[in-house]
Amino acid sequence: ADDEKNILELCRLYLVKEGFTVETAIDGQEVLDKVRRSRPDLVVLDIMMPRIDGLEVCRRLRKDTSIPIIMLTARGDDVDKVVGLELGADDYVTKPFNPRELVARVKAVLRRATSRVEVDATVDVGDVSIDPGRREVTISGKPVQMRAKEFDLLLALAQENGRVLSREQLLSRVWGYEYFGDSRTVDVHVTWVRDKLEGSCAQVQTVRGVGYKLVAMDTPNQPGQRGT
């Protein structure tokens, strides 16, 4: 989805060449209409579009669906990237971009989305329980609302049973790519996961110079407490 027809055609050509079936849209309302009608496997979404902008489209899609979303933006401001991720985008590409990189990101995001195992056993860390099949998290039996990538990040750490994962490993496991990731994406999501775990007996700890690990604590986390 992009209001620049030359970009639409360029992306369509490269994606079709790789075997994808592609539909295009030139404004946000058309995106929402086509998603409801055709239920695509993934949406590539420009931020600056007429009628409804890409960020609002992303927000609306995330209310009803878990379709993977890659944001396209001409803005280099990190704020736009963080807002897009916070709204539920799975990745972002900044214009101008190499269409081959876009294809690689599409494949990586789809690979991650289709490789999730829905029947894994529930993982418990302290009083936090993570159900991969239902994609639910509870603290002492009470449900906790998490965005898709927050859940995936927490699950990846929990499945390591206290072992450390580097930012690069987390990018690969959670976002599904190794070469195009930005480690700041991991740091931002770790902060959000820590916020969700406040008051629990599980804590995401930073291992300086290495990465992160999830550990069970004897006492609950206090508001503002950060693992180091």
Side-chain angles (χ1 to χ4, degrees):
D2 198 302
D3 60 341
E4 298 183 51
K5 293 185 179 180
N6 60 325
I7 291 180
L8 276 185
E9 183 61 17
L10 181 66
C11 294
R12 191 190 68 79
L13 286 172
Y14 273 82
L15 288 165
V16 168
K17 184 178 179 181
E18 293 296 320
F20 293 103
T21 300
V22 180
E23 287 199 38
T24 61
I26 60 172
D27 64 62
Q29 186 59 57
E30 188 180 7
V31 176
L32 295 172
D33 293 341
K34 287 195 171 183
V35 167
R36 282 192 291 266
R37 184 168 64 248
S38 61
R39 294 293 177 184
D41 295 309
L42 181 142
V43 176
V44 179
L45 186 62
D46 186 32
I47 287 183
M48 300 299 292
M49 289 191 299
R51 300 178 71 185
I52 305 174
D53 68 38
L55 293 175
E56 176 62 16
V57 171
C58 182
R59 187 187 68 79
R60 295 189 190 184
L61 290 178
R62 275 295 165 265
K63 289 177 62 178
D64 305 316
T65 179
S66 59
I67 293 172
I69 298 171
I70 297 177
M71 303 297 295
L72 277 181
T73 175
R75 300 175 178 176
D77 193 335
D78 285 343
V79 172
D80 281 331
K81 298 173 183 178
V82 171
V83 170
L85 292 169
E86 188 172 13
L87 289 173
D90 296 87
D91 197 4
Y92 57 83
V93 177
T94 302
K95 299 176 184 176
F97 60 89
N98 186 325
R100 291 187 179 89
E101 179 186 344
L102 175 63
V103 171
R105 287 177 182 265
V106 166
K107 289 181 177 180
V109 171
L110 283 173
R111 191 162 55 242
R112 175 60 190 169
T114 57
S115 66
R116 291 182 182 129
V117 179
E118 300 293 342
V119 295
D120 282 353
T122 298
V123 182
D124 296 319
V125 180
D127 56 352
V128 176
S129 183
I130 308 161
D131 186 331
R134 296 179 181 272
R135 293 186 67 79
E136 295 176 349
V137 177
T138 59
I139 297 176
S140 298
K142 297 180 180 179
V144 178
Q145 296 300 316
M146 285 198 164
R147 303 179 185 93
K149 284 294 177 286
E150 292 173 354
F151 180 92
D152 294 338
L153 176 61
L154 178 63
L155 178 62
L157 291 168
Q159 288 176 330
E160 288 302 308
N161 195 28
R163 291 186 291 271
V164 181
L165 287 175
S166 69
R167 290 173 176 83
E168 290 73 22
Q169 288 173 315
L170 287 168
L171 279 171
S172 178
R173 292 194 188 193
V174 177
W175 283 266
Y177 52 85
E178 296 177 334
Y179 302 107
F180 301 115
D182 184 340
S183 63
R184 291 174 298 178
T185 298
V186 176
D187 298 336
V188 169
H189 281 75
V190 165
T191 297
W192 294 336
V193 169
R194 283 172 169 164
D195 289 341
K196 299 293 178 65
L197 295 180
E198 282 185 358
S200 77
C201 292
Q203 185 183 76
V204 180
Q205 294 185 345
T206 302
V207 180
R208 297 191 182 282
V210 183
Y212 297 102
K213 63 180 179 179
L214 182 69
V215 299
M217 309 290 289
D218 294 330
T219 58
N221 291 310
Q222 299 302 314
Q225 183 177 348
R226 290 289 182 264
T228 57

